[in-house]
Amino acid sequence: MVSSVADTEIAARIAEFARLHPDITLDIFESNTYQMLERLNARTLHFCIVRTPFVPTHFKQATLLKGRVVAVGKKSFFQNKKKSITLSELAEKPIILYRRWEEIIGGFFERNKLPFKVVCRNDDARTSLFYAEQGVGVALMPISAAHSDDPNVVCKEIEGNPWKTDIVLLYDDTTYLPECAKDLRDYLLASRKLSRLD
């Protein structure tokens, strides 16, 4: 699974499954979405839990949680007390974001004829949050990972919610799965909630 799943209810469901089945061993690999896709394609994983967006694949895909991208940064980056920020206001900020999102988000700004200045690229939500907490810039990140203990850091909705980032389970139904892996996959699918992450 990708690291940003760790603080969601999906990880809690996996833990619940482990408690219900004390005879199994969980073997969890944590990496970024594209590394997970490579491993699934190489059949070194039974299934993976990743975050959209990514290039479409031939794998079966089931949405576990719907989410969205928010802007996180020090209060000093935001001049007003509104709970949201417009794209025009965001275009004036130094941006921190996932490396793999740069083309998608940068392209969106370009199509809307807005500037887009990236000051930090990385591969992990925790890294984006850390540099936002350090005042390097405004992180564009999943709302599920946008929780800071720093009272000087705020999370702003982006008006129009232009980017979604769902957590999805990917698997290949033509590949053999051990019964315990099928049971966990089916448990996650049966207990999923498709409400947005708040």
Side-chain angles (χ1 to χ4, degrees), residues 12-68:
R13 286 184 223 151
I14 293 170
E16 183 178 77
F17 181 86
R19 286 191 299 274
L20 293 170
H21 301 85
D23 54 325
I24 68 158
T25 299
L26 295 174
D27 198 1
I28 299 173
F29 296 91
E30 294 176 288
S31 193
N32 68 46
T33 292
Y34 284 114
Q35 289 168 331
M36 291 288 112
L37 291 173
E38 286 173 15
R39 292 195 69 166
L40 191 60
N41 202 45
R43 298 183 175 166
T44 59
L45 294 176
H46 295 306
F47 54 82
C48 61
I49 301 169
V50 297
R51 187 176 284 286
T52 63
F54 53 80
V55 176
T57 71
H58 67 280
F59 300 117
K60 293 275 187 184
Q61 178 174 321
T63 301
L64 298 177
L65 284 175
K66 292 190 175 194
R68 60 198 180 280

Side-chain angles (χ1 to χ4, degrees), residues 99-140:
R99 185 172 281 106
R100 69 182 184 87
W101 287 2
E102 185 171 9
E103 187 176 334
I104 295 164
I105 292 177
F108 188 91
F109 276 87
E110 187 177 321
R111 286 190 301 279
N112 285 279
K113 298 182 175 19
L114 292 168
F116 182 62
K117 180 185 177 189
V118 177
V119 294
C120 177
R121 294 174 191 86
N122 65 80
D123 299 307
D124 193 298
R126 294 167 296 191
T127 304
S128 288
L129 183 59
F130 173 81
Y131 286 103
E133 290 172 332
Q134 299 306 306
V136 172
V138 174
L140 299 182

Side-chain angles (χ1 to χ4, degrees), residues 1-19 26 28 30 49 64-65 167 184 188:
M1 68 178 78
V2 292
S3 60
S4 59
V5 172
D7 292 329
T8 69
E9 62 187 81
I10 296 167
R13 286 184 223 151
I14 293 170
E16 183 178 77
F17 181 86
R19 286 191 299 274
L26 295 174
I28 299 173
E30 294 176 288
I49 301 169
L64 298 177
L65 284 175
I167 297 173
L184 176 55
L188 291 172

